[in-house]
Amino acid sequence: CYSDLKVEELLSNLTDNKKELDEIQSNCKHSEFTISDDPNETSFSLRKVCKVCKKVIGYPSDTELKDAGYTTKMKKEED
């Protein structure tokens, strides 16, 4: 059946692409990153993501969050 063959081909390509991506990410220096929400999480969770290889490389520190324009604590302004 054509669709069975197509599925097998797609899965094979997916495996090959995953291996290539893993190799690129493992050799990347991760010298620049952005801070973004992790789309795989069910709750709001900010992560550091390499700008070059797009690998999640950790959680941002409070300083990194502040530098990126995020506030770490909400303070009520007093009149």
Side-chain angles (χ1 to χ4, degrees):
C1 177
Y2 171 75
S3 57
D4 289 344
L5 293 174
K6 187 64 176 173
V7 168
E8 290 299 321
E9 178 186 348
L10 290 170
L11 288 172
S12 177
N13 289 341
L14 186 62
T15 300
D16 291 343
N17 289 339
K18 174 76 173 115
K19 287 179 186 176
E20 186 175 354
L21 178 60
D22 287 344
E23 184 177 331
I24 290 168
Q25 289 177 331
S26 67
N27 291 321
C28 183
K29 303 285 187 218
H30 312 304
S31 57
E32 294 183 46
F33 64 88
T34 59
I35 297 175
S36 64
D37 187 24
D38 188 347
N40 297 322
E41 294 290 325
T42 55
S43 62
F44 185 74
S45 181
L46 293 173
R47 302 278 200 263
K48 292 184 346 184
V49 180
C50 178
K51 284 185 176 182
V52 176
C53 71
K54 309 302 185 229
K55 181 177 182 174
V56 174
I57 55 175
Y59 296 95
S61 67
D62 286 345
T63 302
E64 290 166 334
L65 287 171
K66 185 177 178 182
D67 290 347
Y70 293 93
T71 56
T72 56
K73 295 182 181 178
M74 298 297 287
K75 292 185 178 179
K76 183 178 179 182
E77 292 183 22
E78 296 184 18
D79 295 328

